[in-house]
Amino acid sequence: MSILVTGGCGFIGSHACVVLLDAGYDVVVLDNLCNSTREVVERVAQICGRAPIFVEGDIRDAILLESLFSEYEISAVMHFAGLKAVGESVAQPEKYYDNNVGGSRVLFAEMQAAEVKTLVFSSSATVYGDPASVPIAEDFPRSATNPYGDTKLQVEDILEGLYQQDSGWCIARLRYFNPVGAHTSGLIGEDPDGIPNNLMPFISQTAAGIRPVLSIFGGDYDTPDGTGVRDYIHVVDLVAGHLAALEYLDKNQQLLTVNLGTGQGVSVLEMVHAYERANQCNVPYQIVNRRPGDIAECWADTRLANQILGWQAIRTLDDMCRDTWRWQQSRKSK
Ligand code: NAD
Ligand code: WQD
């Protein structure tokens, strides 16, 4: 039996391939390479000693999906394929609804037709909008502050509808906080095109001298040092949470909604200093205006994941910083 990993060449999907292959699953990757390269498949094979099957294609292609489900014995799907740049989603909302919502609809319809009803979906802490308090529990109200976030809300709702119509579905909606880090091999990691939107790749590129200075968006938040606070989680811990969810769904038919975070808030300045300390490097920074749409603080209540999945993040901030730097350094020799 194989697991279909949509978006398996991307940052999180590639690490999921590693954890699945290492756990003994066969893996079929479907990726249209709009934000990744096929080289990732070889790198995953280098790490695991065996390769996933790679199919270049789009989740919106119903005919391709139908043939995939008939050709391979797929028992479950991990669905990572999607666009994720918040700013771009504001500029081009239709592109995001078409890809993330439209694509998911096609995928779920083909799963239903093929009687493959076990799904792990990449949701996001963005569905909590601007939370009234922290830590954030799964029953907090949801809201979207941008089209990207709205696509996650919509797909969560579609999944709820599927489960209500047919309780044969086994679905995990995993709400990620801020995934960072890279595999310890330095072979796979996050490789953003152009200027990074997210903090960690920006810090790395600044430390590497690719960017002259990190702009810290806001030094006047109501947080201990005035900079934004987030729950950064190592991507290897994150994908271990996916494996735990898959194994849970194997025994329990239900619709599960779980936060994947560490439960610890870390400020931008703390992250910069942790990075410098861990890697003996220098990250020049300047404090600038707040970024529109940003919230002051966000971290997870992780009790449900601990209780239900028996999972918790174990990697430290130091691990996140060291592994990101090793990956960044390996990009030089690309
Ligand atoms: P990524 O861009 O690195 O990976 C996504 C992959 O999906 C890419 O390889 C891309 O080529 C592929 N893809 C996109 N649209 C596709 C389509 N229509 N058909 C086939 N392949 C397609 O992103 P990531 O950081 O690995 O994120 C994976 C998932 O997790 C996304 O759904 C994202 O929204 C969600 N998520 C990410 C974060 C984060 O901060 N990275 C946080 C919360 C949720
Ligand atoms: C983290 C902190 C910034 C860049 C985004 C999406 C969210 C989710 C994860 C997918 C904030 C500050 C950042 C920089 C900075 N993705 N920052 N200078 O905004 O928490 O979440 O990615 O679901 O939906 O919104 O992550 O890494 O962009 O920012 O000061 O150059 O770093 O203001 O406080 P964010 P981020």
Side-chain angles (χ1 to χ4, degrees), residues 10-12 31-32 34-36 58-59 80 84 99 148 152:
F11 171 41
I12 304 169
D31 200 303
N32 67 2
C34 70
N35 196 33
S36 52
D58 199 295
I59 55 165
F80 298 95
K84 62 167 181 176
N99 197 74
Y148 166 73
K152 292 295 175 195

Side-chain angles (χ1 to χ4, degrees), residues 7-264:
C9 292
F11 171 41
I12 304 169
S14 58
H15 289 83
C17 290
V18 169
V19 84
L20 287 168
L21 288 164
D22 281 351
Y25 292 93
D26 291 325
V27 173
V28 178
V29 167
L30 174 64
D31 200 303
N32 67 2
L33 303 180
C34 70
N35 196 33
S36 52
T37 62
R38 67 171 66 231
E39 193 197 348
V40 170
V41 179
E42 286 142 38
R43 287 168 172 250
V44 167
Q46 230 177 304
I47 295 168
C48 299
R50 66 195 182 106
I53 291 167
F54 174 60
V55 178
E56 183 174 346
D58 199 295
I59 55 165
R60 291 165 293 186
D61 185 342
I63 293 165
L64 173 63
L65 282 169
E66 191 187 346
S67 74
L68 274 185
F69 284 117
S70 70
E71 186 171 352
Y72 303 104
E73 271 193 41
I74 291 167
S75 57
V77 177
M78 281 196 186
H79 177 30
F80 298 95
L83 302 173
K84 62 167 181 176
V86 172
E88 187 188 53
S89 82
V90 175
Q92 301 179 60
E94 274 318 312
K95 181 174 165 186
Y96 275 67
Y97 288 113
D98 178 50
N99 197 74
N100 294 4
V101 182
S104 295
R105 277 190 195 283
V106 175
L107 173 66
F108 304 155
E110 292 308 320
M111 287 178 69
Q112 179 98 52
E115 293 280 327
V116 176
K117 295 186 190 168
T118 301
L119 174 79
V120 178
F121 170 62
S122 304
S123 190
S124 167
T126 192
V127 300
Y128 297 116
D130 191 353
S133 60
V134 278
I136 305 168
E138 287 83 354
D139 59 359
F140 272 34
R142 300 177 317 152
S143 69
T145 52
N146 54 67
Y148 166 73
D150 194 34
T151 67
K152 292 295 175 195
L153 281 182
Q154 290 196 24
V155 176
E156 283 201 352
D157 290 344
I158 291 168
L159 290 173
E160 178 133 23
L162 272 182
Y163 183 74
Q164 273 162 10
Q165 276 167 24
D166 175 357
S167 60
W169 277 86
C170 305
I171 299 169
R173 302 183 297 187
L174 303 182
R175 293 178 177 159
Y176 314 159
F177 280 67
N178 288 59
V180 297
H183 193 264
T184 47
S185 61
L187 287 168
I188 54 172
E190 188 173 14
D191 200 5
D193 251 355
I195 300 173
N197 297 308
N198 296 113
L199 179 65
M200 202 59 159
F202 209 108
I203 288 180
S204 287
Q205 293 193 8
T206 308
I210 300 166
R211 315 264 158 220
V213 61
L214 165 74
S215 291
I216 296 184
F217 300 135
D220 58 352
Y221 284 109
D222 186 13
T223 59
D225 64 20
T227 65
V229 171
R230 297 291 184 273
D231 184 339
Y232 298 94
I233 173 168
H234 197 296
V235 62
V236 176
D237 281 335
L238 186 81
V239 296
H242 288 63
L243 187 61
L246 187 68
E247 286 169 354
Y248 179 85
L249 292 178
D250 196 35
K251 297 183 198 76
N252 305 274
Q253 249 177 30
Q254 61 167 274
L255 174 67
L256 185 68
T257 307
V258 183
N259 286 339
L260 294 183
T262 64
Q264 305 290 323

Side-chain angles (χ1 to χ4, degrees), residues 255-306:
L255 174 67
L256 185 68
T257 307
V258 183
N259 286 339
L260 294 183
T262 64
Q264 305 290 323
V266 172
S267 77
V268 177
L269 273 175
E270 281 172 335
M271 183 58 100
V272 168
H273 295 318
Y275 202 94
E276 290 181 323
R277 233 184 5 255
N279 299 314
Q280 297 297 301
C281 65
N282 189 24
V283 181
Y285 66 83
Q286 58 185 358
I287 307 235
V288 300
N289 287 339
R290 293 180 180 192
R291 182 171 64 178
D294 270 356
I295 58 176
E297 51 185 9
C298 170
W299 68 87
D301 182 332
T302 60
R303 283 174 298 178
L304 195 65
N306 301 163

